[in-house]
Amino acid sequence: MNLFLKTIDYITTINKWAAYFISFLMVALVCIFSAARTLGQPIVGDIELIQFTMVLMIVFSLAYTEKTDSHVSITLLYDRLPNRFQLVLKLAAKILTVVFCFLVCWVFLSKMEFSSTSSLLKIVFYPFKIMLIIGFFAWGLEAFQRFIVELKEEIGNQK
């Protein structure tokens, strides 16, 4: 079990660094595209490229966001609930997250088309879909790991 949890941590770390790299790449591309446009030489497809990198940056950062518990949450009502009910909601949310992530992976795999391309630059979609699958799979694994850890902590607290 410890090897499984370390493997999930390793996958999350890879996704985190991929998101950092893509973020840096996106900033560099925006600077280049802005400079080119300012100089009167706009680059064709600049918005399309930024859209691709933005999606990848978001998807690769989901697992790390789950690991650090940095998702946006509104706890106005949640904080007023009894601790036991909070735990039930937290575990149910983790289960739903895992199911959602693996469902997205399955749908992307089952509907994979290798001939689809973008409208302007004719960039093929399937490498990006594969990266989306990797990102959602890592998020699902991280949510599953947090589910296991929180369940273990609760069982340990009851003893």
Side-chain angles (χ1 to χ4, degrees):
M1 184 61 126
N2 200 16
L3 177 65
F4 178 68
L5 298 178
K6 286 186 182 206
T7 304
I8 293 173
D9 284 338
Y10 182 70
I11 292 169
T12 300
T13 302
I14 290 172
N15 276 332
K16 174 183 76 170
W17 285 105
Y20 285 157
F21 173 75
I22 292 168
S23 176
F24 177 75
L25 177 66
M26 190 168 63
V27 167
L29 287 174
V30 167
C31 288
I32 291 168
F33 296 151
S34 298
R37 188 170 293 197
T38 301
L39 296 173
Q41 300 292 326
I43 298 173
V44 176
D46 56 349
I47 295 173
E48 193 171 79
L49 289 172
I50 295 302
Q51 289 171 341
F52 278 116
T53 56
M54 188 182 315
V55 168
L56 291 179
M57 182 188 64
I58 291 168
V59 167
F60 279 127
S61 64
L62 289 172
Y64 182 70
T65 305
E66 181 70 39
K67 179 181 180 124
T68 58
D69 198 23
S70 300
H71 289 286
V72 174
S73 61
I74 301 170
T75 60
L76 181 66
L77 297 175
Y78 179 80
D79 288 341
R80 295 182 180 162
L81 296 172
N83 288 338
R84 178 71 67 192
F85 194 62
Q86 286 181 1
L87 176 68
V88 169
L89 288 177
K90 191 184 302 182
L91 294 178
K94 295 296 177 215
I95 291 171
L96 289 174
T97 301
V98 170
V99 169
F100 172 75
C101 289
F102 293 141
L103 183 65
V104 168
C105 291
W106 179 75
V107 168
F108 270 106
L109 277 173
S110 65
K111 304 286 184 186
M112 185 73 70
E113 269 186 49
F114 295 100
S115 61
S116 297
T117 61
S118 64
S119 59
L120 184 61
L121 296 177
K122 302 298 181 203
I123 298 172
V124 291
F125 286 144
Y126 76 88
F128 295 97
K129 288 182 179 181
I130 290 170
M131 288 186 257
L132 286 171
I133 292 167
I134 292 168
F136 273 99
F137 187 74
W139 183 22
L141 286 176
E142 191 63 47
F144 181 68
Q145 177 183 8
R146 289 187 48 93
F147 173 80
I148 291 172
V149 167
E150 289 173 7
L151 196 59
K152 274 181 163 179
E153 286 176 2
E154 183 58 30
I155 290 171
N157 289 341
Q158 287 181 358
K159 289 183 180 179

Coordinates of all heavy atoms in Angstrom, one line a residue, residues 113-155:
E113 N -10.7 10.1 -31.4 CA -10.7 10.2 -32.8 C -9.3 10.7 -33.2 O -8.9 11.7 -32.7 CB -11.7 11.2 -33.3 CG -13.1 10.5 -33.7 CD -14.0 11.6 -34.3 OE1 -13.5 12.3 -35.2 OE2 -15.1 11.7 -33.8
F114 N -8.7 10.0 -34.1 CA -7.3 10.3 -34.4 C -7.2 11.3 -35.6 O -6.2 11.8 -36.0 CB -6.5 9.1 -34.7 CG -6.3 8.2 -33.5 CD1 -7.1 7.1 -33.3 CD2 -5.4 8.6 -32.6 CE1 -6.9 6.3 -32.2 CE2 -5.2 7.8 -31.4 CZ -6.0 6.7 -31.3
S115 N -8.4 11.6 -36.2 CA -8.4 12.5 -37.4 C -8.9 13.9 -37.1 O -8.8 14.8 -38.0 CB -9.3 11.9 -38.5 OG -10.6 11.7 -38.0
S116 N -9.4 14.1 -35.9 CA -9.9 15.5 -35.5 C -8.8 16.5 -35.5 O -7.7 16.2 -34.8 CB -10.6 15.4 -34.2 OG -11.8 14.6 -34.3
T117 N -9.0 17.7 -36.0 CA -8.0 18.7 -36.0 C -8.6 20.0 -35.6 O -9.8 20.2 -35.7 CB -7.3 18.9 -37.3 OG1 -8.2 19.2 -38.3 CG2 -6.5 17.6 -37.8
S118 N -7.8 21.0 -35.2 CA -8.2 22.3 -34.9 C -8.6 23.0 -36.2 O -8.1 22.7 -37.3 CB -7.2 23.1 -34.1 OG -6.0 23.3 -34.9
S119 N -9.4 24.1 -36.0 CA -10.0 24.7 -37.2 C -8.9 25.6 -38.0 O -8.9 25.6 -39.2 CB -11.2 25.6 -36.8 OG -10.8 26.5 -35.9
L120 N -8.1 26.3 -37.3 CA -7.2 27.2 -37.9 C -5.8 26.6 -38.3 O -5.4 26.6 -39.5 CB -7.0 28.4 -37.1 CG -6.1 29.6 -37.6 CD1 -6.8 30.1 -38.9 CD2 -6.0 30.7 -36.6
L121 N -5.1 26.0 -37.3 CA -3.8 25.5 -37.6 C -3.8 24.0 -37.9 O -2.7 23.5 -38.2 CB -2.9 25.7 -36.3 CG -2.6 27.2 -36.0 CD1 -1.8 27.3 -34.7 CD2 -1.9 27.9 -37.1
K122 N -4.9 23.4 -37.9 CA -5.0 21.9 -38.2 C -4.2 21.1 -37.2 O -3.6 20.1 -37.7 CB -4.7 21.6 -39.6 CG -5.5 22.4 -40.6 CD -7.0 22.0 -40.5 CE -7.8 22.7 -41.5 NZ -9.2 22.9 -41.1
I123 N -4.1 21.5 -36.0 CA -3.4 20.7 -35.0 C -4.2 19.5 -34.6 O -5.4 19.7 -34.3 CB -3.1 21.5 -33.7 CG1 -2.2 22.7 -34.1 CG2 -2.4 20.7 -32.6 CD1 -2.0 23.7 -33.0
V124 N -3.7 18.3 -34.6 CA -4.5 17.1 -34.2 C -4.8 17.1 -32.7 O -3.9 17.6 -31.9 CB -3.7 15.8 -34.6 CG1 -3.7 15.7 -36.1 CG2 -2.3 15.7 -34.1
F125 N -5.9 16.7 -32.4 CA -6.4 16.7 -31.0 C -6.0 15.6 -30.2 O -5.9 15.7 -29.0 CB -7.9 16.8 -31.0 CG -8.5 18.1 -31.4 CD1 -9.7 18.1 -32.1 CD2 -7.9 19.3 -31.1 CE1 -10.3 19.3 -32.5 CE2 -8.5 20.5 -31.4 CZ -9.7 20.5 -32.1
Y126 N -5.7 14.4 -30.8 CA -5.5 13.2 -29.9 C -4.3 13.3 -28.9 O -4.4 12.8 -27.8 CB -5.5 11.9 -30.8 CG -4.2 11.7 -31.5 CD1 -3.1 11.0 -30.9 CD2 -4.1 12.1 -32.8 CE1 -2.0 10.7 -31.6 CE2 -2.9 11.8 -33.6 CZ -1.9 11.2 -33.0 OH -0.8 10.9 -33.7
P127 N -3.2 14.0 -29.3 CA -2.2 14.1 -28.2 C -2.6 14.9 -27.0 O -2.3 14.6 -25.9 CB -1.0 14.8 -28.9 CG -1.2 14.6 -30.4 CD -2.7 14.5 -30.5
F128 N -3.5 15.9 -27.3 CA -4.0 16.7 -26.2 C -5.0 15.9 -25.4 O -5.1 16.0 -24.2 CB -4.6 18.0 -26.7 CG -3.6 18.9 -27.3 CD1 -3.3 18.9 -28.7 CD2 -2.8 19.7 -26.5 CE1 -2.4 19.7 -29.3 CE2 -1.8 20.5 -27.1 CZ -1.6 20.5 -28.5
K129 N -5.8 15.1 -26.1 CA -6.8 14.2 -25.4 C -6.0 13.2 -24.5 O -6.5 12.9 -23.4 CB -7.7 13.5 -26.4 CG -8.7 14.5 -27.0 CD -9.6 13.7 -28.0 CE -10.6 14.7 -28.6 NZ -11.5 14.0 -29.5
I130 N -4.9 12.7 -25.0 CA -4.1 11.8 -24.2 C -3.6 12.5 -22.9 O -3.6 11.9 -21.8 CB -3.0 11.1 -25.0 CG1 -3.6 10.2 -26.0 CG2 -2.0 10.4 -24.1 CD1 -2.6 9.7 -27.1
M131 N -3.2 13.7 -23.1 CA -2.7 14.5 -21.9 C -3.8 14.8 -21.0 O -3.6 14.8 -19.8 CB -2.0 15.8 -22.4 CG -0.6 15.5 -23.0 SD 0.3 16.9 -23.4 CE 0.0 17.0 -25.2
L132 N -5.0 15.0 -21.5 CA -6.2 15.3 -20.6 C -6.5 14.0 -19.8 O -6.8 14.1 -18.6 CB -7.4 15.6 -21.5 CG -7.4 17.0 -22.0 CD1 -8.6 17.2 -23.0 CD2 -7.6 18.1 -20.9
I133 N -6.4 12.8 -20.5 CA -6.6 11.6 -19.8 C -5.6 11.4 -18.7 O -6.0 11.0 -17.5 CB -6.6 10.4 -20.8 CG1 -7.7 10.4 -21.7 CG2 -6.5 9.1 -20.0 CD1 -7.6 9.5 -22.9
I134 N -4.3 11.7 -18.9 CA -3.3 11.6 -17.9 C -3.6 12.6 -16.7 O -3.5 12.2 -15.6 CB -1.9 11.9 -18.5 CG1 -1.5 10.8 -19.5 CG2 -0.9 12.1 -17.4 CD1 -0.3 11.2 -20.4
G135 N -4.0 13.8 -17.0 CA -4.3 14.8 -16.0 C -5.5 14.3 -15.1 O -5.4 14.4 -13.9
F136 N -6.6 13.9 -15.8 CA -7.7 13.5 -15.0 C -7.5 12.2 -14.2 O -8.0 12.0 -13.1 CB -9.0 13.3 -15.9 CG -9.7 14.6 -16.1 CD1 -9.5 15.4 -17.2 CD2 -10.6 15.1 -15.1 CE1 -10.2 16.6 -17.4 CE2 -11.3 16.2 -15.3 CZ -11.1 17.0 -16.4
F137 N -6.7 11.3 -14.8 CA -6.3 10.0 -14.1 C -5.5 10.3 -12.9 O -5.8 9.8 -11.8 CB -5.6 9.1 -15.1 CG -5.3 7.7 -14.5 CD1 -6.3 6.8 -14.4 CD2 -4.0 7.4 -14.1 CE1 -6.1 5.6 -13.9 CE2 -3.8 6.1 -13.5 CZ -4.8 5.2 -13.5
A138 N -4.6 11.3 -13.0 CA -3.7 11.6 -11.8 C -4.6 12.3 -10.8 O -4.4 12.1 -9.6 CB -2.6 12.6 -12.3
W139 N -5.6 13.1 -11.2 CA -6.5 13.8 -10.2 C -7.3 12.7 -9.5 O -7.5 12.8 -8.3 CB -7.3 14.8 -10.9 CG -8.3 15.6 -10.0 CD1 -8.1 15.8 -8.7 CD2 -9.5 16.3 -10.4 NE1 -9.2 16.6 -8.2 CE2 -10.0 16.9 -9.3 CE3 -10.1 16.4 -11.6 CZ2 -11.2 17.6 -9.3 CZ3 -11.3 17.2 -11.7 CH2 -11.8 17.7 -10.5
G140 N -7.8 11.8 -10.3 CA -8.6 10.7 -9.6 C -7.8 9.9 -8.7 O -8.2 9.5 -7.6
L141 N -6.5 9.6 -9.0 CA -5.6 8.8 -8.1 C -5.4 9.6 -6.8 O -5.4 9.1 -5.7 CB -4.3 8.5 -8.8 CG -4.3 7.4 -9.8 CD1 -3.0 7.2 -10.5 CD2 -4.8 6.0 -9.2
E142 N -5.1 10.9 -7.0 CA -4.9 11.7 -5.8 C -6.1 11.8 -4.9 O -6.0 11.8 -3.7 CB -4.4 13.1 -6.3 CG -3.8 14.0 -5.2 CD -2.6 13.4 -4.5 OE1 -1.7 13.0 -5.3 OE2 -2.5 13.4 -3.3
A143 N -7.3 12.0 -5.5 CA -8.5 12.0 -4.7 C -8.7 10.7 -4.0 O -9.1 10.6 -2.9 CB -9.7 12.3 -5.6
F144 N -8.4 9.6 -4.7 CA -8.5 8.2 -4.1 C -7.5 8.1 -2.9 O -7.9 7.6 -1.8 CB -8.2 7.2 -5.1 CG -8.3 5.8 -4.6 CD1 -9.6 5.3 -4.2 CD2 -7.2 5.0 -4.5 CE1 -9.7 4.0 -3.7 CE2 -7.3 3.7 -4.0 CZ -8.6 3.2 -3.6
Q145 N -6.3 8.6 -3.1 CA -5.3 8.6 -2.0 C -5.8 9.4 -0.8 O -5.7 9.0 0.3 CB -4.0 9.1 -2.5 CG -2.9 9.2 -1.4 CD -1.6 9.8 -1.8 OE1 -1.5 10.3 -2.9 NE2 -0.6 9.7 -1.0
R146 N -6.3 10.6 -1.1 CA -6.8 11.4 0.1 C -8.0 10.8 0.7 O -8.2 10.9 1.9 CB -7.2 12.8 -0.4 CG -5.9 13.6 -0.8 CD -6.2 15.0 -1.1 NE -7.0 15.7 -0.2 CZ -6.6 16.4 0.8 NH1 -5.3 16.5 1.1 NH2 -7.5 17.1 1.6
F147 N -8.8 10.1 0.0 CA -9.9 9.3 0.6 C -9.4 8.3 1.5 O -9.9 8.1 2.7 CB -10.8 8.7 -0.5 CG -11.9 7.7 0.0 CD1 -13.1 8.3 0.4 CD2 -11.7 6.4 0.0 CE1 -14.0 7.4 0.9 CE2 -12.7 5.5 0.4 CZ -13.9 6.0 0.9
I148 N -8.4 7.5 1.1 CA -7.8 6.5 1.9 C -7.2 7.0 3.2 O -7.4 6.5 4.3 CB -6.8 5.6 1.1 CG1 -7.5 4.8 0.1 CG2 -6.0 4.7 2.0 CD1 -6.5 4.1 -0.9
V149 N -6.5 8.1 3.0 CA -5.8 8.7 4.2 C -6.8 9.3 5.2 O -6.7 9.1 6.4 CB -4.8 9.9 3.7 CG1 -4.3 10.7 4.8 CG2 -3.7 9.3 2.9
E150 N -7.8 10.0 4.7 CA -8.8 10.5 5.6 C -9.6 9.4 6.3 O -10.0 9.5 7.5 CB -9.8 11.5 4.8 CG -9.1 12.7 4.5 CD -9.9 13.6 3.6 OE1 -11.1 13.3 3.4 OE2 -9.4 14.7 3.1
L151 N -9.9 8.3 5.6 CA -10.6 7.2 6.2 C -9.7 6.5 7.2 O -10.2 6.2 8.3 CB -11.0 6.2 5.1 CG -12.0 5.2 5.4 CD1 -13.3 5.8 5.8 CD2 -12.3 4.2 4.2
K152 N -8.4 6.4 7.0 CA -7.5 5.8 8.0 C -7.4 6.7 9.2 O -7.4 6.2 10.3 CB -6.1 5.7 7.4 CG -5.8 4.4 6.6 CD -4.4 4.4 6.1 CE -3.9 3.1 5.7 NZ -2.5 3.2 5.3
E153 N -7.4 8.0 9.0 CA -7.3 8.9 10.1 C -8.6 8.8 11.0 O -8.5 8.8 12.2 CB -7.1 10.4 9.6 CG -5.8 10.7 9.1 CD -5.6 12.1 8.6 OE1 -6.6 12.8 8.6 OE2 -4.5 12.4 8.1
E154 N -9.7 8.7 10.3 CA -11.0 8.6 11.1 C -11.1 7.3 11.8 O -11.5 7.3 13.0 CB -12.2 8.8 10.1 CG -13.5 8.8 10.8 CD -13.6 9.9 11.9 OE1 -13.0 10.9 11.8 OE2 -14.4 9.6 12.9
I155 N -10.6 6.2 11.2 CA -10.6 4.9 11.9 C -9.7 5.0 13.1 O -9.9 4.5 14.2 CB -10.3 3.8 10.9 CG1 -11.4 3.6 9.9 CG2 -10.0 2.5 11.7 CD1 -11.1 2.7 8.8

